[in-house]
Amino acid sequence: MKFYRPLGTISAITFDLDDTLYDNRPVIRRTELESIAFVQNYHPALREFQVVDFQRLRQELRQEEPDIYHDVTEWRRRSVERALLNAGLSGDAATRGAREAMENFALWRSRIEIAPETHQALEALASKRPLVAITNGNADPQQFGLAKYFRFILRAGPDGRSKPFNDMYALAAQRLGIAHREILHVGDDLTTDVAGALRCGMQTCWINLRGGNLMHIDDSRLLPHLEISRLASLVTLI
Ligand SMILES: [Mg+2]
């Protein structure tokens, strides 16, 4: 554990999900493969549909609607819908197909293994402080056994703009009824988590699970209050 700024009172803890409480990389890889396979098998006209085609449609939508990226689920649904429309399906059929594709996506997206130490650490922390999850992603903690530790879960899109914007940080403080300065936000991303939470007055903990060096990372413009390499370190601190 490394300290970069003096810590104050910690009355609540907010957590990023992806790559903070589990390794999200294999989950995303598998989910993308399964999602593309679903689209390819959905209609003969899409047999040759590839990841690059999907990426192109996503970028096209982002250019037309610059704010769509805040809601990654809706962005994906619309991209699939557009792929189906481009393949010649009717509006209704494309909407139905996109809904089915998203149901398939959700299954794979939340098929996540949580390490026993993570359960232990969250259980211990939840017995001491209210915990909240704040995510830019679309994994559903209910599906992989983590929802029970959180008072509530905030999701970019339905709950505001994505981090590092302060929407969800402000909403968390408001719903907890706790001042920003008494909330510790824990996350792996130096921009969305550390800089975002610091700018709205929270204390921050950078979780460095891959042996990164804060002094040599390009996007480390603002120092967190502390750095940990295992979630369990927080249990001794709180
Ligand atoms: Mg993350």
Side-chain angles (χ1 to χ4, degrees):
M1 191 155 27
K2 292 180 191 163
F3 292 89
Y4 300 103
R5 298 167 187 253
L7 277 178
T9 304
I10 296 169
S11 301
I13 308 174
T14 57
F15 284 94
D16 170 52
L17 293 174
D18 295 339
D19 293 312
T20 291
L21 300 180
Y22 45 81
D23 184 354
N24 197 43
R25 295 169 302 178
V27 180
I28 290 295
R29 268 197 298 275
R30 194 177 53 213
T31 303
E32 289 294 357
L33 287 176
E34 293 292 341
S35 298
I36 291 297
F38 184 92
V39 172
Q40 289 170 342
N41 292 323
Y42 191 76
H43 193 274
L46 286 155
R47 199 71 76 205
E48 304 299 322
F49 190 74
Q50 298 298 329
V51 177
V52 289
D53 302 318
F54 185 63
Q55 296 303 351
R56 189 173 40 75
L57 290 174
R58 280 167 64 89
Q59 289 321 315
E60 214 174 271
L61 269 171
R62 172 107 193 239
Q63 267 162 18
E64 293 165 18
E65 300 172 43
D67 284 333
I68 199 167
Y69 79 96
H70 289 296
D71 188 334
V72 287
T73 307
E74 180 60 7
W75 190 10
R76 173 174 293 272
R77 192 195 66 76
R78 294 275 309 282
S79 305
V80 176
E81 190 178 49
R82 185 164 290 195
L84 301 180
L85 287 169
N86 290 350
L89 276 73
S90 71
D92 281 353
T95 302
R96 193 166 53 243
R99 187 173 62 235
E100 288 174 29
M102 292 310 291
E103 284 165 7
N104 173 71
F105 170 83
L107 282 180
W108 291 100
R109 181 66 181 90
S110 291
R111 208 166 278 192
I112 298 173
E113 287 292 328
I114 302 295
E117 328 53 293
T118 302
H119 277 288
Q120 285 157 17
L122 288 174
E123 189 173 5
L125 291 168
S127 72
K128 297 177 182 181
R129 298 288 188 279
L131 310 184
V132 171
I134 300 182
T135 180
N136 282 354
N138 40 20
D140 177 7
Q142 200 77 51
Q143 305 302 317
F144 44 91
L146 292 189
K148 61 186 176 214
Y149 304 118
F150 301 118
R151 287 280 179 89
F152 53 89
I153 295 160
L154 299 181
R155 214 173 269 297
D159 297 309
R161 291 171 298 173
S162 54
K163 302 174 284 182
F165 283 102
N166 70 358
D167 303 28
M168 294 190 288
Y169 293 123
L171 189 57
Q174 187 201 329
R175 281 180 63 177
L176 285 164
I178 293 174
H180 288 79
R181 65 175 181 283
E182 290 190 16
I183 298 174
L184 178 72
H185 179 69
V186 182
D188 69 296
D189 193 294
L190 288 164
T191 302
T192 57
D193 294 308
V194 173
L198 273 174
R199 284 199 194 102
C200 70
M202 288 183 176
Q203 300 177 72
T204 58
C205 171
W206 181 46
I207 185 156
N208 175 15
L209 297 175
R210 293 174 195 151
N213 184 330
L214 199 52
M215 303 304 155
H216 298 145
I217 296 178
D218 287 347
D219 57 352
S220 64
R221 288 182 197 88
L222 293 171
L223 283 176
H225 288 71
L226 74 149
E227 171 184 336
I228 56 173
S229 55
R230 302 171 51 237
L231 201 59
S233 307
L234 279 182
V235 180
T236 57
L237 182 81
I238 301 298

